[in-house]
Amino acid sequence: MLKRQNPSTPEHRRHLAAHGGALSMSHNDSRSFFSLSQLVLSAGQIKPSPALKHSKITYFEVEIVDVQSKKQICIVDKVPPASTLLDVKHKFHKACPQWYPSRVGLQLERNGPFLKDSVSIQSLAVSSIVTLYFTDLGQQVGWTTFFLTEYTGPLLIYLLFYIRLSTIYDQVESRKNFRHPVVHLACFCHCLHYIRHLLETLFVHKFSEGHTPLKNMIKGCAFYWGFTSWIAYYINHPRYTPPSFGHKQVFYAALAFLMCEAGNHFINVALAHQTNSGNRTCFPSPTYNPFTWLFLLVSCPNYTYEAGSWISFTVMTQTLPAGIFAFLMVIQMSLWAQKKHKLYLKRFYPEVRRKAAMIPIIF
């Protein structure tokens, strides 16, 4: 028979002590690991060292080279990657104060287009050194200043001829001859046309932040101011003769003029609303306003209405200077319309492909 072991023997106690010590050590290790894990979790996410977060920042060097002589003008250093071309122009102006940012034209290639101010340097960089070609654009003016100056002149010049200054007309002849009603109507229509242009420049049109050379404004002012003086001189002359078909010709021509002015305004408002809404994926479509239905036939109805205004003014006043001005305006408007029509074909081909530029079939 087997002899049952006594639990109280010394060997049994040593055996239990050995196993109990191992269990207590294992229990202590698990408690220590649990406490360490709780400490790590309570400490939160370990933040990286600032030195590791901003280890290195890359800067660019922009070399400005004269487009004609190919000589280096200056180097704009330490240009951050997020900088735009306008920032480079401001730094270039600090190095060369004689050239303001508005008159600085920069090109990536000598015969390439001028880069926009919003272009980032990082998009142009192939290496850490960016070479740009400089062109002096001359004295520049903003587009708002350009149009306000161009349209204010004709408004004031026409009024000077309308009041028949003694330095322009003979006062004795001016008092003796009676003014035909078409003279007053022509003054009203002419002023209405340019007041509309001024108000649309201030409150409707949205111009880019770009500029135009001062010489362009001088040429535009010479054209509009000169023709306004010529037209106003004949219409307000004491010997001016009314139209051949009398009041009917004046009435229907004035009605067509007012309709073209209204149509031009509503088209400009529609174009400005489309730009402000950010909808650049579709061509402007006609609305409930009947003046916008011309969008069904032409892509530039504002030029159509502008040309119609001056043709109607010519018929209403029946003067040669007004006819020559209307003829030149039709040519200029057709050229602008053709240029815009080509841009529209690239952006809105399905909607514009069957439309004319300014006048159906003809242009």
PDB file of all heavy atoms in Angstrom, residues 9-10 20 26 33 37 43 45 75 84 126 131 167 172 195 207 211 219 257 277 279 294 297 305 327:
ATOM      1  N   THR A   9       4.703  17.939   6.358  1.00  0.00           N
ATOM      2  CA  THR A   9       6.116  17.578   6.320  1.00  0.00           C
ATOM      3  C   THR A   9       6.954  18.724   5.825  1.00  0.00           C
ATOM      4  O   THR A   9       6.460  19.603   5.099  1.00  0.00           O
ATOM      5  CB  THR A   9       6.314  16.353   5.408  1.00  0.00           C
ATOM      6  OG1 THR A   9       5.854  16.711   4.109  1.00  0.00           O
ATOM      7  CG2 THR A   9       5.568  15.119   5.953  1.00  0.00           C
ATOM      8  N   PRO A  10       8.245  18.741   6.154  1.00  0.00           N
ATOM      9  CA  PRO A  10       9.102  19.856   5.715  1.00  0.00           C
ATOM     10  C   PRO A  10       9.240  19.937   4.213  1.00  0.00           C
ATOM     11  O   PRO A  10       9.313  21.013   3.650  1.00  0.00           O
ATOM     12  CB  PRO A  10      10.438  19.533   6.397  1.00  0.00           C
ATOM     13  CG  PRO A  10      10.087  18.672   7.561  1.00  0.00           C
ATOM     14  CD  PRO A  10       8.894  17.869   7.170  1.00  0.00           C
ATOM     15  N   GLY A  20       4.473  29.291  -4.201  1.00  0.00           N
ATOM     16  CA  GLY A  20       3.840  30.547  -3.754  1.00  0.00           C
ATOM     17  C   GLY A  20       4.685  31.745  -4.078  1.00  0.00           C
ATOM     18  O   GLY A  20       4.197  32.803  -4.427  1.00  0.00           O
ATOM     19  N   SER A  26       4.943  36.707  -9.986  1.00  0.00           N
ATOM     20  CA  SER A  26       4.196  36.928 -11.232  1.00  0.00           C
ATOM     21  C   SER A  26       3.101  37.951 -11.033  1.00  0.00           C
ATOM     22  O   SER A  26       2.844  38.806 -11.867  1.00  0.00           O
ATOM     23  CB  SER A  26       3.611  35.596 -11.707  1.00  0.00           C
ATOM     24  OG  SER A  26       2.819  35.809 -12.851  1.00  0.00           O
ATOM     25  N   PHE A  33       3.347  46.219 -14.489  1.00  0.00           N
ATOM     26  CA  PHE A  33       3.105  46.498 -15.912  1.00  0.00           C
ATOM     27  C   PHE A  33       1.811  47.282 -16.097  1.00  0.00           C
ATOM     28  O   PHE A  33       1.732  48.203 -16.925  1.00  0.00           O
ATOM     29  CB  PHE A  33       3.032  45.182 -16.680  1.00  0.00           C
ATOM     30  CG  PHE A  33       2.732  45.355 -18.139  1.00  0.00           C
ATOM     31  CD1 PHE A  33       3.715  45.755 -19.023  1.00  0.00           C
ATOM     32  CD2 PHE A  33       1.445  45.136 -18.638  1.00  0.00           C
ATOM     33  CE1 PHE A  33       3.448  45.934 -20.357  1.00  0.00           C
ATOM     34  CE2 PHE A  33       1.168  45.313 -19.961  1.00  0.00           C
ATOM     35  CZ  PHE A  33       2.154  45.714 -20.830  1.00  0.00           C
ATOM     36  N   SER A  37       1.499  51.025 -17.729  1.00  0.00           N
ATOM     37  CA  SER A  37       0.642  51.317 -18.891  1.00  0.00           C
ATOM     38  C   SER A  37      -0.341  52.434 -18.580  1.00  0.00           C
ATOM     39  O   SER A  37      -0.618  53.303 -19.424  1.00  0.00           O
ATOM     40  CB  SER A  37      -0.106  50.055 -19.322  1.00  0.00           C
ATOM     41  OG  SER A  37      -0.947  49.609 -18.276  1.00  0.00           O
ATOM     42  N   ALA A  43      -0.379  60.112 -19.498  1.00  0.00           N
ATOM     43  CA  ALA A  43       0.559  61.178 -19.908  1.00  0.00           C
ATOM     44  C   ALA A  43       0.166  61.788 -21.232  1.00  0.00           C
ATOM     45  O   ALA A  43       0.598  62.888 -21.563  1.00  0.00           O
ATOM     46  CB  ALA A  43       1.979  60.606 -19.987  1.00  0.00           C
ATOM     47  N   GLN A  45      -0.382  62.002 -25.579  1.00  0.00           N
ATOM     48  CA  GLN A  45       0.470  61.775 -26.736  1.00  0.00           C
ATOM     49  C   GLN A  45       1.794  62.506 -26.560  1.00  0.00           C
ATOM     50  O   GLN A  45       1.837  63.663 -26.152  1.00  0.00           O
ATOM     51  CB  GLN A  45      -0.216  62.271 -28.008  1.00  0.00           C
ATOM     52  CG  GLN A  45       0.563  61.941 -29.268  1.00  0.00           C
ATOM     53  CD  GLN A  45      -0.171  62.396 -30.503  1.00  0.00           C
ATOM     54  OE1 GLN A  45      -1.253  62.974 -30.377  1.00  0.00           O
ATOM     55  NE2 GLN A  45       0.405  62.142 -31.653  1.00  0.00           N
ATOM     56  N   ILE A  75      19.156  89.747 -57.633  1.00  0.00           N
ATOM     57  CA  ILE A  75      18.727  88.433 -57.145  1.00  0.00           C
ATOM     58  C   ILE A  75      17.903  88.653 -55.885  1.00  0.00           C
ATOM     59  O   ILE A  75      18.375  89.273 -54.925  1.00  0.00           O
ATOM     60  CB  ILE A  75      19.924  87.516 -56.851  1.00  0.00           C
ATOM     61  CG1 ILE A  75      20.648  87.156 -58.162  1.00  0.00           C
ATOM     62  CG2 ILE A  75      19.455  86.240 -56.159  1.00  0.00           C
ATOM     63  CD1 ILE A  75      21.847  86.244 -57.961  1.00  0.00           C
ATOM     64  N   THR A  84       3.990  84.553 -53.712  1.00  0.00           N
ATOM     65  CA  THR A  84       3.464  84.749 -55.049  1.00  0.00           C
ATOM     66  C   THR A  84       4.378  85.685 -55.833  1.00  0.00           C
ATOM     67  O   THR A  84       5.337  86.250 -55.299  1.00  0.00           O
ATOM     68  CB  THR A  84       2.045  85.336 -54.997  1.00  0.00           C
ATOM     69  OG1 THR A  84       2.094  86.625 -54.351  1.00  0.00           O
ATOM     70  CG2 THR A  84       1.112  84.411 -54.227  1.00  0.00           C
ATOM     71  N   VAL A 126      11.991  74.818 -60.787  1.00  0.00           N
ATOM     72  CA  VAL A 126      12.524  73.508 -61.152  1.00  0.00           C
ATOM     73  C   VAL A 126      13.675  73.150 -60.223  1.00  0.00           C
ATOM     74  O   VAL A 126      13.883  71.988 -59.891  1.00  0.00           O
ATOM     75  CB  VAL A 126      12.988  73.509 -62.620  1.00  0.00           C
ATOM     76  CG1 VAL A 126      13.563  72.154 -63.006  1.00  0.00           C
ATOM     77  CG2 VAL A 126      11.837  73.879 -63.541  1.00  0.00           C
ATOM     78  N   THR A 131      14.747  81.716 -62.603  1.00  0.00           N
ATOM     79  CA  THR A 131      15.148  82.826 -63.472  1.00  0.00           C
ATOM     80  C   THR A 131      13.916  83.408 -64.148  1.00  0.00           C
ATOM     81  O   THR A 131      13.165  82.679 -64.801  1.00  0.00           O
ATOM     82  CB  THR A 131      16.152  82.359 -64.531  1.00  0.00           C
ATOM     83  OG1 THR A 131      17.298  81.798 -63.885  1.00  0.00           O
ATOM     84  CG2 THR A 131      16.587  83.529 -65.409  1.00  0.00           C
ATOM     85  N   THR A 167     -17.060 131.291 -76.226  1.00  0.00           N
ATOM     86  CA  THR A 167     -15.781 131.009 -76.885  1.00  0.00           C
ATOM     87  C   THR A 167     -15.906 129.985 -78.011  1.00  0.00           C
ATOM     88  O   THR A 167     -14.959 129.797 -78.773  1.00  0.00           O
ATOM     89  CB  THR A 167     -14.770 130.478 -75.847  1.00  0.00           C
ATOM     90  OG1 THR A 167     -15.321 129.328 -75.196  1.00  0.00           O
ATOM     91  CG2 THR A 167     -14.465 131.559 -74.797  1.00  0.00           C
ATOM     92  N   VAL A 172     -24.721 136.149 -80.659  1.00  0.00           N
ATOM     93  CA  VAL A 172     -25.856 136.785 -81.361  1.00  0.00           C
ATOM     94  C   VAL A 172     -26.607 135.743 -82.178  1.00  0.00           C
ATOM     95  O   VAL A 172     -27.847 135.676 -82.164  1.00  0.00           O
ATOM     96  CB  VAL A 172     -25.352 137.925 -82.259  1.00  0.00           C
ATOM     97  CG1 VAL A 172     -26.518 138.528 -83.043  1.00  0.00           C
ATOM     98  CG2 VAL A 172     -24.646 138.985 -81.424  1.00  0.00           C
ATOM     99  N   ILE A 195     -23.408 108.340 -68.326  1.00  0.00           N
ATOM    100  CA  ILE A 195     -23.734 108.160 -66.906  1.00  0.00           C
ATOM    101  C   ILE A 195     -23.939 106.685 -66.602  1.00  0.00           C
ATOM    102  O   ILE A 195     -23.509 106.185 -65.548  1.00  0.00           O
ATOM    103  CB  ILE A 195     -24.980 108.988 -66.538  1.00  0.00           C
ATOM    104  CG1 ILE A 195     -24.640 110.486 -66.537  1.00  0.00           C
ATOM    105  CG2 ILE A 195     -25.517 108.577 -65.176  1.00  0.00           C
ATOM    106  CD1 ILE A 195     -25.832 111.392 -66.307  1.00  0.00           C
ATOM    107  N   PHE A 207     -13.555  94.415 -62.025  1.00  0.00           N
ATOM    108  CA  PHE A 207     -12.289  94.421 -62.747  1.00  0.00           C
ATOM    109  C   PHE A 207     -11.251  93.632 -61.970  1.00  0.00           C
ATOM    110  O   PHE A 207     -11.297  93.542 -60.741  1.00  0.00           O
ATOM    111  CB  PHE A 207     -11.796  95.863 -62.954  1.00  0.00           C
ATOM    112  CG  PHE A 207     -12.765  96.727 -63.716  1.00  0.00           C
ATOM    113  CD1 PHE A 207     -13.516  97.690 -63.054  1.00  0.00           C
ATOM    114  CD2 PHE A 207     -12.937  96.573 -65.073  1.00  0.00           C
ATOM    115  CE1 PHE A 207     -14.412  98.484 -63.742  1.00  0.00           C
ATOM    116  CE2 PHE A 207     -13.835  97.362 -65.769  1.00  0.00           C
ATOM    117  CZ  PHE A 207     -14.573  98.317 -65.101  1.00  0.00           C
ATOM    118  N   HIS A 211      -3.382  96.142 -64.194  1.00  0.00           N
ATOM    119  CA  HIS A 211      -3.261  97.515 -64.619  1.00  0.00           C
ATOM    120  C   HIS A 211      -3.092  97.541 -66.127  1.00  0.00           C
ATOM    121  O   HIS A 211      -2.883  96.523 -66.776  1.00  0.00           O
ATOM    122  CB  HIS A 211      -2.070  98.194 -63.940  1.00  0.00           C
ATOM    123  CG  HIS A 211      -2.180  98.267 -62.449  1.00  0.00           C
ATOM    124  ND1 HIS A 211      -1.949  97.167 -61.638  1.00  0.00           N
ATOM    125  CD2 HIS A 211      -2.497  99.296 -61.615  1.00  0.00           C
ATOM    126  CE1 HIS A 211      -2.127  97.515 -60.381  1.00  0.00           C
ATOM    127  NE2 HIS A 211      -2.454  98.785 -60.330  1.00  0.00           N
ATOM    128  N   LYS A 219      -4.686 107.250 -75.297  1.00  0.00           N
ATOM    129  CA  LYS A 219      -5.262 107.003 -76.619  1.00  0.00           C
ATOM    130  C   LYS A 219      -6.781 106.873 -76.552  1.00  0.00           C
ATOM    131  O   LYS A 219      -7.498 107.398 -77.428  1.00  0.00           O
ATOM    132  CB  LYS A 219      -4.653 105.735 -77.224  1.00  0.00           C
ATOM    133  CG  LYS A 219      -3.201 105.878 -77.615  1.00  0.00           C
ATOM    134  CD  LYS A 219      -2.714 104.684 -78.424  1.00  0.00           C
ATOM    135  CE  LYS A 219      -2.720 103.415 -77.606  1.00  0.00           C
ATOM    136  NZ  LYS A 219      -2.139 102.261 -78.364  1.00  0.00           N
ATOM    137  N   PHE A 257     -32.709 103.744 -79.337  1.00  0.00           N
ATOM    138  CA  PHE A 257     -31.558 104.062 -78.506  1.00  0.00           C
ATOM    139  C   PHE A 257     -31.804 103.660 -77.049  1.00  0.00           C
ATOM    140  O   PHE A 257     -30.952 103.037 -76.412  1.00  0.00           O
ATOM    141  CB  PHE A 257     -31.249 105.556 -78.601  1.00  0.00           C
ATOM    142  CG  PHE A 257     -30.117 106.009 -77.726  1.00  0.00           C
ATOM    143  CD1 PHE A 257     -28.799 105.957 -78.174  1.00  0.00           C
ATOM    144  CD2 PHE A 257     -30.340 106.490 -76.438  1.00  0.00           C
ATOM    145  CE1 PHE A 257     -27.746 106.365 -77.376  1.00  0.00           C
ATOM    146  CE2 PHE A 257     -29.300 106.898 -75.626  1.00  0.00           C
ATOM    147  CZ  PHE A 257     -28.000 106.837 -76.098  1.00  0.00           C
ATOM    148  N   SER A 277     -21.353  84.731 -58.735  1.00  0.00           N
ATOM    149  CA  SER A 277     -21.860  83.486 -58.181  1.00  0.00           C
ATOM    150  C   SER A 277     -20.851  82.357 -58.250  1.00  0.00           C
ATOM    151  O   SER A 277     -21.037  81.317 -57.644  1.00  0.00           O
ATOM    152  CB  SER A 277     -23.141  83.066 -58.923  1.00  0.00           C
ATOM    153  OG  SER A 277     -22.848  82.802 -60.279  1.00  0.00           O
ATOM    154  N   ASN A 279     -20.190  80.551 -60.852  1.00  0.00           N
ATOM    155  CA  ASN A 279     -20.588  79.524 -61.812  1.00  0.00           C
ATOM    156  C   ASN A 279     -19.845  79.751 -63.123  1.00  0.00           C
ATOM    157  O   ASN A 279     -20.269  80.527 -63.968  1.00  0.00           O
ATOM    158  CB  ASN A 279     -22.103  79.594 -62.033  1.00  0.00           C
ATOM    159  CG  ASN A 279     -22.577  78.465 -62.921  1.00  0.00           C
ATOM    160  OD1 ASN A 279     -21.839  77.530 -63.207  1.00  0.00           O
ATOM    161  ND2 ASN A 279     -23.820  78.562 -63.365  1.00  0.00           N
ATOM    162  N   LEU A 294     -31.183  87.847 -76.314  1.00  0.00           N
ATOM    163  CA  LEU A 294     -30.194  87.942 -77.384  1.00  0.00           C
ATOM    164  C   LEU A 294     -29.053  86.945 -77.177  1.00  0.00           C
ATOM    165  O   LEU A 294     -28.299  86.667 -78.114  1.00  0.00           O
ATOM    166  CB  LEU A 294     -29.644  89.372 -77.458  1.00  0.00           C
ATOM    167  CG  LEU A 294     -28.959  89.805 -78.757  1.00  0.00           C
ATOM    168  CD1 LEU A 294     -29.878  89.618 -79.950  1.00  0.00           C
ATOM    169  CD2 LEU A 294     -28.497  91.246 -78.661  1.00  0.00           C
ATOM    170  N   LEU A 297     -28.756  84.093 -79.716  1.00  0.00           N
ATOM    171  CA  LEU A 297     -28.243  84.295 -81.067  1.00  0.00           C
ATOM    172  C   LEU A 297     -26.757  84.642 -81.100  1.00  0.00           C
ATOM    173  O   LEU A 297     -26.049  84.227 -82.018  1.00  0.00           O
ATOM    174  CB  LEU A 297     -29.038  85.406 -81.769  1.00  0.00           C
ATOM    175  CG  LEU A 297     -30.545  85.183 -81.902  1.00  0.00           C
ATOM    176  CD1 LEU A 297     -31.199  86.402 -82.523  1.00  0.00           C
ATOM    177  CD2 LEU A 297     -30.840  83.939 -82.715  1.00  0.00           C
ATOM    178  N   TYR A 305     -25.688  95.588 -78.399  1.00  0.00           N
ATOM    179  CA  TYR A 305     -26.475  96.719 -77.915  1.00  0.00           C
ATOM    180  C   TYR A 305     -25.680  98.030 -77.969  1.00  0.00           C
ATOM    181  O   TYR A 305     -26.245  99.090 -78.245  1.00  0.00           O
ATOM    182  CB  TYR A 305     -26.936  96.448 -76.482  1.00  0.00           C
ATOM    183  CG  TYR A 305     -28.097  95.489 -76.374  1.00  0.00           C
ATOM    184  CD1 TYR A 305     -28.004  94.330 -75.608  1.00  0.00           C
ATOM    185  CD2 TYR A 305     -29.297  95.752 -77.023  1.00  0.00           C
ATOM    186  CE1 TYR A 305     -29.073  93.457 -75.499  1.00  0.00           C
ATOM    187  CE2 TYR A 305     -30.369  94.881 -76.916  1.00  0.00           C
ATOM    188  CZ  TYR A 305     -30.256  93.735 -76.155  1.00  0.00           C
ATOM    189  OH  TYR A 305     -31.321  92.880 -76.058  1.00  0.00           O
ATOM    190  N   PHE A 327     -19.681 104.089 -87.103  1.00  0.00           N
ATOM    191  CA  PHE A 327     -19.010 103.128 -87.991  1.00  0.00           C
ATOM    192  C   PHE A 327     -17.748 102.575 -87.340  1.00  0.00           C
ATOM    193  O   PHE A 327     -17.505 101.355 -87.358  1.00  0.00           O
ATOM    194  CB  PHE A 327     -18.678 103.809 -89.322  1.00  0.00           C
ATOM    195  CG  PHE A 327     -17.892 102.950 -90.269  1.00  0.00           C
ATOM    196  CD1 PHE A 327     -18.501 101.903 -90.934  1.00  0.00           C
ATOM    197  CD2 PHE A 327     -16.541 103.186 -90.482  1.00  0.00           C
ATOM    198  CE1 PHE A 327     -17.780 101.107 -91.804  1.00  0.00           C
ATOM    199  CE2 PHE A 327     -15.813 102.405 -91.353  1.00  0.00           C
ATOM    200  CZ  PHE A 327     -16.424 101.348 -92.020  1.00  0.00           C
TER     201      PHE A 327
END
